[in-house]
Amino acid sequence: MKQIDLNCDMGESFGAYTIGMDPEVMAHITSANIACGFHAGDPLVMDKTVKLAKEKGVGIGAHPGYPDLLGFGRRPLTCSEAEITRYVIYQVGALQGFCRAHGAEMQHVKPHGALYLDAVENKTVARGVAKGILALNPDLLYVALAGKKGETMRQVGAELGLKVVYESFPDRAYTPEGTLVSRKLPGAVISDPNEVAQRAMAMAEGYVVAMDGTRIELEAHSLCVHGDNPAAVALVKTIRHHLEAGGIQVMPMGRT
Amino acid sequence: MKQIDLNCDMGESFGAYTIGMDPEVMAHITSANIACGFHAGDPLVMDKTVKLAKEKGVGIGAHPGYPDLLGFGRRPLTCSEAEITRYVIYQVGALQGFCRAHGAEMQHVKPHGALYLDAVENKTVARGVAKGILALNPDLLYVALAGKKGETMRQVGAELGLKVVYESFPDRAYTPEGTLVSRKLPGAVISDPNEVAQRAMAMAEGYVVAMDGTRIELEAHSLCVHGDNPAAVALVKTIRHHLEAGGIQVMPMGRT
Amino acid sequence: MKQIDLNCDMGESFGAYTIGMDPEVMAHITSANIACGFHAGDPLVMDKTVKLAKEKGVGIGAHPGYPDLLGFGRRPLTCSEAEITRYVIYQVGALQGFCRAHGAEMQHVKPHGALYLDAVENKTVARGVAKGILALNPDLLYVALAGKKGETMRQVGAELGLKVVYESFPDRAYTPEGTLVSRKLPGAVISDPNEVAQRAMAMAEGYVVAMDGTRIELEAHSLCVHGDNPAAVALVKTIRHHLEAGGIQVMPMGRT
Amino acid sequence: MKQIDLNCDMGESFGAYTIGMDPEVMAHITSANIACGFHAGDPLVMDKTVKLAKEKGVGIGAHPGYPDLLGFGRRPLTCSEAEITRYVIYQVGALQGFCRAHGAEMQHVKPHGALYLDAVENKTVARGVAKGILALNPDLLYVALAGKKGETMRQVGAELGLKVVYESFPDRAYTPEGTLVSRKLPGAVISDPNEVAQRAMAMAEGYVVAMDGTRIELEAHSLCVHGDNPAAVALVKTIRHHLEAGGIQVMPMGRT
């Protein structure tokens, strides 16, 4: 029986500010990427989110980002490899504290926003992130981009001895070369729920239909979904139902 | 043979800013209270400080503070017990990450600045701190104020099941009631190195001479020393030599 | 013809985080208290909010707070008078920059959250705020609490030569002594829109009916309203219509 | 009589952290670039630094940077033009508040660290900074890099109608093309005080001797000096004495 994980960014609220519909989404996903206070999240939010994930049997992951709350971690910040490694240790360590407080195991680490994109593009950044994970706990899964473009990022993780989880995006168009179509181009983001659900199904089965209609292979262990608004939450439900109806086991990446 | 620990705040630099003469001081103390990024310290500084402490055989402790870098954690900030607990988990968890990265054990937690003083005065704060430590690791030593004034803070820790370490201040004058003389009063801080060293010796032997000349009992397991400037570093050396010459074993609080 | 101002906190969003329904509310109020980046707000939000206020003919005010984004400025932070004065100068100066960029005049300053409440309780804080305003521009109106409890805060402002605007809260219950009923007590916040609107009308006419039914005098030049959710926005509209239907001129505090 | 300005970064301390020997340096320079709280500086430091500059007759300038205290504003952060403009308005506006509080005029704006370097390399950044200055006060002088490499940055400022001040670096080697030799190359920074003073003199006279011995023209209105340590302070004194002995008038850029 085929298996797939559904991962979603969680715990992005901060102080009086709320982002995301965490309680609603947590019921449908299998892995949570929890912000660690640098680009989003705070100690109270982290505590609550770890607790909620544990209650729902959702795999707990750290979602470290650049130290840029003002930019929500979406802006590239030039950092050395050593800086990135230490930023990752700090953030993942902090989240690890809340896991221990709730008797929960941490499952994975997925870099956030610009840190993720920079890790895809830049070996130094990818190595910085991977070394941070390694220093903390080599058993933590390292979530990296599936497809051709993610090769470097995944290779860096694998060479350092990390278990790498490939993630793909059911709501994003792919080129025939197996890379994400830039968000700046029309059709890059797919909004029809049924189409997204079908693409999720295809990804669970190991392929994706590229923008030009070509069917290309794409190895993916986890699908990235979103939970910022009611439509997004509904979409997550649709994806999950579609996958399960199609005979796919939806489960945390750490159990597949 | 009598034993005492010398603890000192370390790792208080931040980014381009330096506070403290950490490498010089680390050679003479036995326990380091390492800032965790809220009131001072940053991931690079924490990493370097944990590494240095481990190399020198110095006991590693977390030094969590209020989230107030601008005020260096010296200003009271009204927080709920739950907020304090989570701030402690976050900060100690982050430092724990660097301990794991360096294969080091964490030994203790000592709250910083206003968080410490508020814990002395206010049961809610004391409980907030203690619960954070407990949630993370009940084996971590909890450093609290020796003498009458520290009773509440110590009791809260003990009731929750924490091992409490009593600390006193050889460079501070005490009232006949066994509490610190306010810094606002003349004579509150003792600057003569020999006098401070003699007081350290007395404290290691279980007493202190109060401001009015009375000799009062004072149970202390650790002496707080400073390392901000060359004179302070020299004072630490003097204290340590004096203690060792007097037959006191100077060693990390976790080994006594 | 009687006149009254309706003031509301605005510009409290930060980076990717949104608080408040600013465009909806701005159409109905006459003065905006704009956050300045310490407890809420950021340069982009400030720019947008000043522009919007100017377009709608709404009086522009600075809303300085404690440097505590994590606590949204709602937690008391012990600061010296000098610190508060400089925090006010910094924040009001920054907002003044956006006023100049949009060719707008700044009308008033109203401290936010815990800074406001501390100014009510504590002369040092009140003086710190007032001196900051004075140093920047003695023509800026200083918004302070109406009623008995606000006397100290208002007096400090007046003694320093500031023009003080008295503000009251139509959705809050008052004691027979003319002070706000604590939020912790039942009935402290009034939720019925018609009742709030009637109280606003009474306040515009110089009195309020206290919790025990006593009618007491209450001098108020501005009424504080809220804009965080659709119900709050509807309430602002109701209040304004009620006031205007009752023959009250609703206009910016600076023009009354 | 030839004239030149000596500008230096000032007010870079933050909270309990000190950087720079401001009182010592302020006696010898003619223009101060004062940090505004994003990469360094805080309201108390800004207040003190403006006061000190005014007392010494030193021209007051704002030194806005990226919002990156942890990186001291030395790390490129990808921002849009609109973000940069608003960051500049915020920071310069805040410093303007302290100028008003001390009855002082602001003279100039010089971007700090990575914001400066990015403005040199990238038209969008240069325009973002220039538009911020323009929006606040078109009479503020805009300090930009002298020599070939600074052309774009200066042109952007001039096209928008700003008065541009050319600055050069007496302690830095220049290529025969009139650009700074990269700090990564040997000989990029000149440490001999007499040599630096002679180069300052040459720059005041309109030329510089490049690394290969070529004498090239270099128009400069201001020389950038440093004040972080006793040697740097001594160097500033040496430069100033050398210039004055050579018949150059050393005065604020705004008066030349």
Side-chain angles (χ1 to χ4, degrees):
Chain A
M1 201 171 173
K2 293 231 160 114
Q3 298 163 334
I4 198 88
D5 170 65
L6 294 181
N7 83 72
C8 186
D9 298 352
M10 293 273 113
E12 295 188 323
S13 295
F14 178 86
Y17 297 100
T18 300
I19 280 188
M21 303 180 69
D22 290 14
E24 289 79 3
V25 182
M26 202 70 97
H28 309 297
I29 59 170
T30 45
S31 289
N33 318 310
I34 303 176
C36 302
F38 269 37
H39 70 278
D42 71 35
L44 274 78
V45 171
M46 290 164 77
D47 184 80
K48 203 165 57 175
T49 312
V50 165
K51 187 168 179 283
L52 182 64
K54 199 200 167 197
E55 284 167 9
K56 299 288 180 189
V58 168
I60 294 168
H63 201 37
Y66 284 127
D68 179 24
L69 185 67
L70 181 55
F72 203 64
R74 287 178 179 150
R75 305 187 291 195
L77 177 74
T78 306
C79 295
S80 70
E81 185 186 311
E83 284 174 326
I84 291 169
T85 296
R86 282 143 187 79
Y87 292 171
V88 167
I89 293 175
Y90 185 95
Q91 294 180 73
V92 182
L95 189 73
Q96 182 60 48
F98 292 102
C99 289
R100 217 168 309 136
H102 289 287
E105 283 288 307
M106 195 185 291
Q107 171 193 253
H108 71 281
V109 177
K110 171 177 163 178
H112 166 83
L115 182 60
Y116 187 102
L117 298 177
D118 287 353
V120 168
E121 297 287 349
N122 184 326
K123 229 174 176 162
T124 303
V125 177
R127 208 181 297 117
V129 174
K131 284 190 178 172
I133 301 172
L134 199 71
L136 273 170
N137 180 0
D139 290 329
L140 288 168
L141 304 175
Y142 176 39
V143 178
L145 185 62
K148 198 171 164 29
K149 212 172 177 188
E151 257 174 22
T152 308
M153 185 186 182
R154 299 191 316 254
Q155 210 170 342
V156 164
E159 279 171 15
L160 285 165
L162 293 174
K163 290 171 219 154
V164 182
V165 170
Y166 296 30
E167 79 158 344
S168 62
F169 297 80
D171 66 344
R172 293 289 301 277
Y174 280 75
T175 67
E177 291 75 35
T179 66
L180 293 169
V181 172
S182 162
R183 276 177 185 277
K184 289 171 193 159
L185 296 178
V189 178
I190 298 151
S191 54
D192 177 65
N194 287 325
E195 198 183 337
V196 176
Q198 276 166 27
R199 295 174 69 82
M201 189 67 203
M203 287 170 174
E205 290 175 340
Y207 70 94
V208 69
V209 177
M211 252 199 151
D212 66 350
T214 331
R215 176 180 158 146
I216 53 169
E217 286 193 18
L218 185 77
E219 186 184 354
H221 315 115
S222 183
L223 306 180
C224 181
V225 296
H226 311 289
D228 330 53
N229 54 65
V233 178
L235 180 53
V236 177
K237 280 175 76 168
T238 303
I239 292 173
R240 178 150 191 176
H241 289 160
H242 199 84
L243 289 168
E244 291 178 337
I248 307 290
Q249 264 191 309
V250 182
M251 48 166 37
M253 59 179 85
R255 277 194 255 141
T256 61
Chain B
M1 199 171 177
K2 293 231 161 115
Q3 297 163 336
I4 198 88
D5 170 65
L6 294 180
N7 82 72
C8 187
D9 297 352
M10 294 273 113
E12 295 187 323
S13 296
F14 178 85
Y17 296 99
T18 301
I19 280 187
M21 303 179 68
D22 290 13
E24 290 78 4
V25 182
M26 202 70 95
H28 309 298
I29 60 171
T30 45
S31 290
N33 317 311
I34 302 177
C36 302
F38 269 37
H39 71 277
D42 70 36
L44 276 78
V45 171
M46 290 164 77
D47 184 82
K48 204 164 58 175
T49 312
V50 166
K51 185 168 180 283
L52 183 64
K54 200 201 166 194
E55 283 168 8
K56 299 288 180 188
V58 168
I60 294 168
H63 200 38
Y66 284 126
D68 178 23
L69 185 67
L70 181 55
F72 203 64
R74 286 178 181 152
R75 307 186 291 195
L77 177 74
T78 306
C79 295
S80 70
E81 186 187 309
E83 285 173 326
I84 291 168
T85 296
R86 282 143 186 81
Y87 293 172
V88 167
I89 294 175
Y90 185 95
Q91 294 180 73
V92 182
L95 189 72
Q96 182 61 46
F98 292 103
C99 289
R100 216 168 311 134
H102 290 287
E105 283 288 306
M106 196 185 291
Q107 171 193 253
H108 71 281
V109 176
K110 171 178 164 178
H112 166 82
L115 182 59
Y116 186 102
L117 298 177
D118 287 353
V120 168
E121 297 287 348
N122 184 327
K123 228 172 177 166
T124 303
V125 177
R127 209 180 299 117
V129 174
K131 284 190 177 171
I133 301 172
L134 199 70
L136 273 170
N137 180 0
D139 291 330
L140 289 169
L141 305 175
Y142 176 39
V143 179
L145 186 63
K148 199 170 164 27
K149 212 172 177 188
E151 257 172 23
T152 309
M153 184 186 182
R154 299 191 315 255
Q155 211 170 341
V156 165
E159 279 171 15
L160 285 166
L162 293 175
K163 291 171 217 154
V164 182
V165 170
Y166 296 28
E167 78 159 344
S168 63
F169 298 80
D171 66 343
R172 293 290 299 277
Y174 280 74
T175 68
E177 290 75 36
T179 67
L180 293 169
V181 172
S182 162
R183 276 177 185 277
K184 290 170 192 160
L185 297 177
V189 178
I190 298 150
S191 55
D192 177 66
N194 288 325
E195 198 183 337
V196 177
Q198 276 166 26
R199 295 174 70 81
M201 189 68 203
M203 287 170 175
E205 289 174 342
Y207 71 94
V208 69
V209 178
M211 252 201 151
D212 66 350
T214 332
R215 175 180 158 146
I216 54 170
E217 285 193 19
L218 185 78
E219 185 185 353
H221 316 116
S222 183
L223 306 179
C224 181
V225 295
H226 311 289
D228 330 52
N229 55 63
V233 178
L235 180 53
V236 178
K237 281 175 76 167
T238 303
I239 292 172
R240 178 152 191 172
H241 290 161
H242 199 85
L243 288 168
E244 291 178 336
I248 307 290
Q249 263 191 308
V250 182
M251 48 167 36
M253 58 177 87
R255 276 194 255 141
T256 60
Chain C
M1 199 170 176
K2 293 233 160 113
Q3 297 164 336
I4 198 88
D5 170 66
L6 294 180
N7 82 73
C8 187
D9 297 354
M10 293 273 113
E12 295 188 323
S13 295
F14 178 84
Y17 296 99
T18 300
I19 280 188
M21 302 179 68
D22 290 14
E24 289 80 3
V25 183
M26 202 70 96
H28 308 298
I29 60 170
T30 45
S31 289
N33 317 311
I34 303 177
C36 303
F38 270 37
H39 70 277
D42 71 34
L44 275 78
V45 171
M46 290 164 76
D47 183 81
K48 204 165 57 176
T49 312
V50 166
K51 185 167 179 284
L52 182 64
K54 200 200 166 196
E55 283 168 10
K56 300 287 182 189
V58 168
I60 293 168
H63 201 37
Y66 284 126
D68 178 23
L69 185 66
L70 181 55
F72 203 64
R74 287 179 178 149
R75 307 188 290 197
L77 177 75
T78 306
C79 296
S80 69
E81 185 185 310
E83 284 173 327
I84 291 168
T85 296
R86 282 142 187 81
Y87 292 172
V88 167
I89 294 175
Y90 185 95
Q91 294 179 75
V92 182
L95 189 73
Q96 182 60 47
F98 292 101
C99 289
R100 217 168 309 135
H102 289 287
E105 283 288 306
M106 195 185 291
Q107 173 193 252
H108 71 281
V109 177
K110 171 177 164 178
H112 166 83
L115 182 60
Y116 187 102
L117 298 176
D118 287 353
V120 167
E121 297 287 348
N122 184 327
K123 227 172 177 165
T124 304
V125 177
R127 209 180 298 116
V129 174
K131 283 190 178 171
I133 301 172
L134 199 72
L136 274 170
N137 181 0
D139 290 330
L140 289 169
L141 304 176
Y142 176 39
V143 178
L145 186 62
K148 200 172 162 30
K149 211 172 178 190
E151 257 173 21
T152 308
M153 185 186 182
R154 299 191 315 254
Q155 211 169 341
V156 165
E159 279 171 15
L160 286 165
L162 292 174
K163 290 170 219 157
V164 182
V165 170
Y166 296 30
E167 78 159 343
S168 62
F169 297 79
D171 66 343
R172 292 290 300 276
Y174 279 74
T175 68
E177 291 75 35
T179 67
L180 293 170
V181 172
S182 163
R183 277 176 185 275
K184 290 169 191 160
L185 297 178
V189 178
I190 298 151
S191 54
D192 177 65
N194 288 325
E195 198 183 335
V196 177
Q198 276 166 26
R199 295 174 70 81
M201 188 69 203
M203 287 169 174
E205 288 175 341
Y207 71 93
V208 70
V209 177
M211 252 201 152
D212 67 349
T214 333
R215 176 180 157 145
I216 52 170
E217 286 193 18
L218 185 77
E219 185 185 355
H221 315 116
S222 182
L223 306 180
C224 182
V225 295
H226 310 290
D228 329 53
N229 54 64
V233 178
L235 181 53
V236 178
K237 280 175 76 168
T238 303
I239 293 172
R240 178 150 191 176
H241 290 160
H242 199 85
L243 289 169
E244 292 179 336
I248 307 291
Q249 264 192 309
V250 183
M251 50 168 33
M253 57 179 87
R255 276 194 255 139
T256 61
Chain D
M1 199 170 175
K2 293 232 161 114
Q3 297 164 334
I4 199 89
D5 171 65
L6 294 180
N7 83 72
C8 186
D9 296 353
M10 293 272 113
E12 295 188 323
S13 296
F14 178 85
Y17 297 100
T18 301
I19 280 187
M21 304 179 67
D22 289 14
E24 290 78 3
V25 182
M26 202 69 96
H28 309 299
I29 59 171
T30 45
S31 290
N33 317 310
I34 302 177
C36 302
F38 269 37
H39 70 277
D42 71 35
L44 275 78
V45 171
M46 289 164 76
D47 184 81
K48 203 165 59 175
T49 311
V50 165
K51 186 167 180 281
L52 182 64
K54 199 199 166 195
E55 284 168 9
K56 299 288 181 188
V58 168
I60 294 168
H63 200 37
Y66 284 126
D68 179 23
L69 185 66
L70 181 55
F72 203 64
R74 286 177 179 152
R75 306 187 292 195
L77 177 74
T78 306
C79 295
S80 69
E81 186 186 309
E83 284 174 327
I84 291 169
T85 296
R86 282 142 186 82
Y87 292 171
V88 167
I89 293 175
Y90 185 95
Q91 295 180 73
V92 182
L95 189 73
Q96 182 61 46
F98 292 102
C99 288
R100 217 169 311 135
H102 290 287
E105 284 287 307
M106 195 185 292
Q107 172 193 253
H108 70 282
V109 177
K110 171 177 163 178
H112 166 83
L115 182 59
Y116 187 102
L117 298 178
D118 286 353
V120 167
E121 297 287 347
N122 183 328
K123 227 173 178 165
T124 303
V125 177
R127 209 180 297 117
V129 174
K131 283 189 178 172
I133 302 172
L134 199 71
L136 273 169
N137 180 359
D139 289 330
L140 289 169
L141 304 175
Y142 177 38
V143 178
L145 185 63
K148 197 169 166 26
K149 211 171 178 189
E151 256 173 23
T152 309
M153 184 186 182
R154 300 189 317 253
Q155 211 170 341
V156 164
E159 278 170 16
L160 285 165
L162 292 174
K163 289 171 219 155
V164 183
V165 170
Y166 296 29
E167 78 159 344
S168 63
F169 297 79
D171 65 344
R172 292 291 300 278
Y174 280 74
T175 67
E177 291 74 35
T179 67
L180 292 169
V181 172
S182 162
R183 275 177 185 277
K184 291 170 192 160
L185 296 178
V189 178
I190 297 151
S191 54
D192 177 66
N194 287 325
E195 199 183 336
V196 176
Q198 276 166 26
R199 295 174 70 81
M201 188 69 202
M203 286 169 175
E205 289 175 341
Y207 70 94
V208 69
V209 176
M211 251 202 150
D212 67 350
T214 333
R215 175 179 158 146
I216 52 171
E217 284 193 20
L218 185 77
E219 186 184 353
H221 316 115
S222 182
L223 306 179
C224 181
V225 296
H226 311 289
D228 329 53
N229 55 64
V233 179
L235 180 53
V236 177
K237 281 176 75 168
T238 304
I239 292 172
R240 178 151 190 173
H241 290 162
H242 199 85
L243 289 168
E244 292 179 336
I248 307 290
Q249 263 190 311
V250 182
M251 47 166 38
M253 58 179 86
R255 276 195 255 140
T256 60

